[in-house]
Amino acid sequence: MTGSAGALRGIRVVDFGHHVAGPLAALLLADQGADVVHVDRPGVEPPVEDAFFNRGKRRITLDLKSGRDLRIARDLVRRADVLVENFRPGAMDRLGLGWADLSAADPRLVYCSMPGFAADDPRAGVPGWEGVIAAATGNCRIRAGHAPDGWDATRPTYTAIPVASNFAAFCGAFAIVASLTARHRSGRGDRIEVPLFDAMFEAIGGSGAYPVERGLPPERAISANGSGTYRCADGRYVQFNPIGATTRFLTWFLDAAGMTAWAGEGLTDRSRLDREPELRSLLRERLIALFGTRTAHEWEDVANAAGVPLAAVRTTGEWLDNVHARAAGQVVEVEDPLLGTTVMPGSAVCVPAAPPLRGRARHLPDADRADILAELDTPPPAEAGRAQASPGEVGGSQASPGEAAGPQTLPSEAGRLPYEGLRVVDLTQILAGPSAGRILAEFGADVVKINAPQRRVGAHGFVNRGKRTVLVDVKSGEGQRILWRLINEADVLTCNFPERTAERYGLGYEHVRARRPGIVYVSVSCYGPGGPWASRRGYETQGQAATGIMTRTGGDGPPAVLGPYNLLDYGTGTLAAFAAALGLHHREVTGEGGHVYASLTQTGLYQQASYAVRAGTATSAEPCGPEALGTDPWHRFYRAADRWFFVGATRAQLSALPALKRALAENDAEAALEAVFRTGDADEWVERLTAAGAGAHTVTKLAELMTDPYARSRGLAVTQVSEEAGEVVMPGIAIRARHHPPRLGHPVRRPGADGREVLAGIGLADSADALERAWAVQLTALPRGWDHF
């Protein structure tokens, strides 16, 4: 069932994944046309979400402890382009399915491993349950401003959303496609490793970035310009987020609501709001009263007609039925062989070359055994066939239409990063889009970041590491001349304009494609294309509100934004990089560019995919709300004598410790365990539990994590010297690659600091001063980029 369409058609993948990370990474490839064979373990009853994680894959059940089945597994891999697994380090090596053995037989293999902790991590043998990783990375705190009254800030909270596994899958899928693109030129595969612990540093993002002189700032609630969650007349809530350097969104909203007079009281004066707490409090009180006069959906219509970021808080089930989500393909129905008509998330990214998902329902375990075994009895495919069609435009060069297929191993390709020689023009702002550009830079691309001149630059620090930066007024005639010179040499253009805005500037995909046919044009937005909400504005909080995350985080109380980290912004950034990688791979083998998309709402649905699969009226139960500590007594946070820790274990593993065995014999095992764990320090319990084979970890604060010796030694937390802010600490790179290790990139420059160099590169060095006098560029009196950190 090799995919007949898609950027990854002809690519063969063997998926040994289990739980979330491995199957999800393989699903991202299958949805783009790869032929994925999922290997099931015998005797495992698939849960409801299996209908999503294994859709579009062929399946065979193999007992890897059986010599015969192990030989079948090895034969499968010998014919594969990609192997995906997420066992603990060493497990695949012991089966003869590790990288060393397989790459010796087939140097073209792209091998992706996603363990809980890396092989060189002292915790490599610790089971990487989500709660364990959450404790290890501080992803168990309530978002500032969303804690219930009287909340104990030292108390952790548990989310059933597998954030670490999701980020590992997003990063892994991107790295796989980048490696396939590099392989097409070099003929050599690679070993990729994205441990769940490491992947969380991509999720942490700017939360872990700070100038050393100032230290890690305290977490702050998002409250600028009246931003917040408000109860409406019908008892439902909206998430209102008029943030920005100005109060334009607040002004637009108040005008649409008939409250223009508030401006006369200074309630739309950003400078006064910043310095007068009483005025901020008055604005908040007024907004509370105002939102109480209409229903949530009425306010949503008012705000979005005015172009203001606001979303009614929905449940995940409501988003699954939402007219935009359905029209945009973010939600699809498939005919599952067991469940019948089943609603689930659509593709994670929108790529025109992708095959349609309708009809790509899952196969049941072992359903394809006969066909797969029959294939193994036939001669293996020729190298040229496995390599796909003729190469296309790379780094500005265009292959002849009749050029021979297949990779050619060139000495000059040794050690070359996948996107080295490619140029990216990055027009995006805030976090999601710039993160995609940063990731492409880490894999070798030359990225030019464009901001508007004569304006305060918002989020600039961490997300723009490794890029060149220039301030250009793309709305002016001279500014457009500069921009088009850059685009005419670009391979990728990234933007996050609201729908139709780029077209008004003459920068829409069709405008760009007319001049640069091979361009990969990446659009990042809140709601994605193809539905009635495509032009609506929104940020992280709107994405969480619309897709149901805030509802499940709040539980029985008011809705709340999930977690201390921006899982949608940085998740969408990674998926936008994945979309760009798919576009570049498609161009590599066909010579054609294309328009690809990523959105906050689709990322939001993927973050909670385990709970976004619906057949009939069945729903999955889960712990939710700020009070949640875990799923059961053997999988939850506990308070020790000195601090909190997480334990993920079986009852048998806990019973191996005499003190706990007695507690487990009590009628209320959970209360008994709480009492016993209080008698010792957390580090002592973690040591004893992990020695018994359980997963356990103390709760680590973010400040501790960013200075942790292991994280520093592995480049997960790094220090660079900024020309503006001196030494700065920030997350490093989550993805490891053996042959093509991504590079950190130079420290973040002050916004616009590379302006003259960029202009010289496009032949405008002699015009630089005149262009600045014409206000087309800004080359002097540059704004600061680290002020908000």
Side-chain angles (χ1 to χ4, degrees), residues 237-294:
Y237 291 82
V238 294
Q239 217 302 318
F240 180 46
N241 205 3
I243 60 173
T246 69
T247 55
R248 62 174 182 144
F249 289 145
L250 176 62
T251 300
W252 294 353
F253 174 74
L254 294 178
D255 287 348
M259 298 296 165
T260 305
W262 290 16
E265 301 175 64
L267 294 175
T268 60
D269 185 331
R270 177 61 188 263
S271 62
R272 288 189 61 190
L273 288 170
D274 285 346
R275 68 176 185 268
E276 297 179 28
E278 300 83 3
L279 198 63
R280 291 197 299 272
S281 297
L282 178 60
L283 175 61
R284 176 76 179 175
E285 292 171 5
R286 291 278 188 87
L287 287 172
I288 289 172
L290 178 62
F291 279 110
T293 64
R294 303 190 197 184

Side-chain angles (χ1 to χ4, degrees), residues 85-94 98-100 111 113-126 128 133 191-198 710 713-714 716 734 736 738:
E85 59 94 359
N86 61 309
F87 294 105
R88 271 180 270 176
M92 294 290 276
D93 299 277
R94 290 190 290 272
W99 160 255
Y111 189 111
S113 176
M114 291 170 283
F117 295 97
D120 62 359
D121 193 314
R123 301 159 292 190
V126 177
I133 305 298
R191 184 185 191 277
I192 299 160
E193 186 182 42
V194 191
L196 271 61
F197 174 78
D198 297 28
Y710 173 76
S713 71
R714 292 306 307 169
L716 296 171
R736 307 182 187 189
R738 178 72 58 85

Side-chain angles (χ1 to χ4, degrees), residues 1-3 8-14 29-30 33-37 56-58 360 375:
M1 196 182 69
T2 301
L8 300 180
R9 64 187 183 280
I11 295 296
R12 295 175 172 85
V13 180
V14 180
L29 306 179
D35 175 19
V36 179
V37 174
K57 303 177 185 178
R58 296 191 289 163
R360 289 176 59 82
E375 286 179 7

Side-chain angles (χ1 to χ4, degrees), residues 294-634:
R294 303 190 197 184
T295 68
H297 289 152
E298 286 173 338
W299 282 122
E300 190 174 54
D301 290 341
V302 168
N304 286 296
V308 174
L310 179 149
V313 177
R314 290 170 169 78
T315 65
T316 305
E318 287 176 320
W319 185 249
L320 292 177
D321 292 326
N322 180 268
V323 62
H324 174 80
R326 293 295 184 103
Q330 295 185 19
V331 174
V332 297
E333 291 183 355
V334 299
E335 291 301 319
D336 186 81
L338 282 183
L339 303 175
T341 302
T342 305
V343 179
M344 63 181 66
S347 293
V349 295
C350 181
V351 178
L357 293 183
R358 286 186 179 275
R360 289 176 59 82
R362 67 166 166 174
H363 293 191
L364 297 179
D366 219 28
D368 303 287
R369 186 179 192 89
D371 287 344
I372 291 170
L373 294 180
E375 286 179 7
L376 296 181
D377 288 335
T378 62
E383 288 295 309
R386 293 176 64 189
Q388 299 188 16
S390 58
E393 183 183 1
V394 180
S397 64
Q398 178 71 39
S400 300
E403 187 173 338
Q408 301 176 24
T409 304
L410 302 175
S412 61
E413 296 295 336
R416 185 184 181 195
L417 288 172
Y419 301 131
E420 195 167 331
L422 298 187
R423 296 185 176 93
V424 178
V425 174
D426 182 359
L427 292 170
T428 62
Q429 307 299 320
I430 314 296
L431 299 179
S435 293
R438 171 185 54 78
I439 293 170
L440 294 175
E442 290 166 354
F443 277 69
D446 173 18
V447 182
V448 174
K449 177 69 172 69
I450 297 178
N451 286 93
Q454 312 303 328
R455 288 181 59 183
R456 176 185 173 189
V457 176
H460 181 75
F462 160 74
V463 293
N464 289 311
R465 180 179 63 207
K467 304 176 186 178
R468 294 188 291 156
T469 167
V470 60
L471 303 176
V472 179
D473 180 6
V474 300
K475 299 178 183 179
S476 71
E478 287 298 313
Q480 287 231 341
R481 181 164 71 99
I482 296 168
L483 179 59
W484 278 111
R485 288 205 182 192
L486 289 168
I487 292 174
N488 287 339
E489 297 181 356
D491 302 280
V492 178
L493 175 68
T494 62
C495 64
N496 59 351
F497 296 117
E499 189 177 68
R500 293 186 293 276
T501 300
E503 283 72 15
R504 289 200 296 271
Y505 294 158
L507 294 171
Y509 171 61
E510 293 300 332
H511 297 115
V512 175
R513 185 170 73 117
R515 296 199 191 192
R516 185 67 168 164
I519 197 81
V520 175
Y521 189 109
V522 184
S523 291
V524 181
S525 65
C526 183
Y527 297 103
W533 292 15
S535 61
R536 292 188 178 188
R537 288 185 170 92
Y539 300 110
E540 167 89 20
T541 50
Q542 279 65 55
Q544 288 203 27
T547 58
I549 294 176
M550 286 187 65
T551 300
R552 62 173 14 100
T553 304
D556 294 331
V561 175
L562 174 64
Y565 310 135
N566 283 19
L567 70 161
L568 300 196
D569 278 329
Y570 294 114
T572 302
T574 308
L575 286 174
F578 173 61
L582 290 166
L584 289 168
H585 186 270
H586 180 71
R587 192 181 75 165
E588 180 84 18
V589 299
T590 68
E592 301 173 355
H595 193 177
V596 299
Y597 306 81
S599 69
L600 297 176
T601 50
Q602 191 61 344
T603 302
L605 201 54
Y606 264 67
Q607 291 284 12
Q608 47 187 337
S610 297
Y611 303 99
V613 178
R614 187 178 67 201
T617 58
T619 57
S620 299
E622 62 171 302
C624 58
E627 300 289 343
L629 289 173
T631 57
D632 53 48
W634 6 100

Side-chain angles (χ1 to χ4, degrees), residues 142-148 219-222 229 284 559-561:
I142 293 180
R143 178 73 67 107
H146 289 268
E219 294 177 10
R220 300 186 296 267
I222 301 175
T229 305
R284 176 76 179 175
V561 175

